[in-house]
Amino acid sequence: MSDEEAPDGGLSSSIASSEGKLVGVGIVFDESVKDRLRVESLVPGSGADQCGEIFGGDELLTLDGVDVNGRQVADLAPIFMGPSGTTAILTLMRRLEPSNASPPAGDVVGDEVEAEAEAEAPVSIVVVEVPRVDFSTEPSQYVSWVDQGEED
């Protein structure tokens, strides 16, 4: 059993085995974020998509009670996987938009501004029960929250 690579190079937890009907939850994680599992996109028709409670930018903290800090998606595949019809319990950290956002003081620029704003943003911890359902794992089915209009 191995992780499938999403079209953008990130690894997906949307692995399915047609023989044993083991399926994942349908979350694509942003592999560019070091030591964190940040949701990049959901696979349409997957349990994560159907539950409607997971959003781009959410960070996975625990999966079925297992701390995922510093772990790779590939290491967690056996926990994400399960028989269709079962559920996975995800604890997520969601950064909230500050109500009175203002630019940071000083001469911080570029990525430092983004990192500082992220560190100051209020967070919410949410627990989500995600059904494992049989869904398409075709690369064309991945929906990314990354701006599709940008060209390299």
Side-chain angles (χ1 to χ4, degrees):
M1 220 179 303
S2 65
D3 283 331
E4 292 183 10
E5 190 167 314
D8 63 1
L11 289 178
S12 169
S13 64
S14 61
I15 311 156
S17 167
S18 59
E19 290 180 16
K21 287 295 181 192
L22 293 178
V23 295
V25 296
I27 301 173
V28 178
F29 292 96
D30 181 351
E31 293 290 313
S32 69
V33 180
K34 188 169 175 61
D35 295 328
R36 296 185 198 172
L37 291 177
R38 183 175 290 164
V39 174
E40 180 178 309
S41 61
L42 305 177
V43 179
S46 67
D49 180 42
Q50 291 177 14
C51 81
E53 297 182 52
I54 301 173
F55 304 98
D58 286 353
E59 293 180 16
L60 183 64
L61 302 176
T62 68
L63 170 60
D64 285 341
V66 176
D67 182 0
V68 301
N69 187 34
R71 300 196 45 196
Q72 300 295 313
V73 173
D75 298 335
L76 299 169
I79 304 170
F80 274 114
M81 301 287 293
S84 184
T86 62
T87 60
I89 307 297
L90 283 60
T91 304
L92 302 161
M93 179 175 66
R94 180 168 301 146
R95 298 199 186 279
L96 307 172
E97 294 294 323
S99 58
N100 58 353
S102 60
D107 56 351
V108 181
V109 295
D111 291 339
E112 293 176 19
V113 169
E114 186 176 319
E116 190 172 309
E118 184 175 287
E120 293 176 3
V123 298
S124 174
I125 304 299
V126 294
V127 178
V128 180
E129 186 173 10
V130 181
R132 293 181 178 104
V133 297
D134 200 2
F135 59 91
S136 171
T137 57
E138 292 296 317
S140 63
Q141 294 295 307
Y142 290 91
V143 176
S144 178
W145 281 294
V146 175
D147 185 2
Q148 299 293 325
E150 290 182 19
E151 292 189 29
D152 295 309

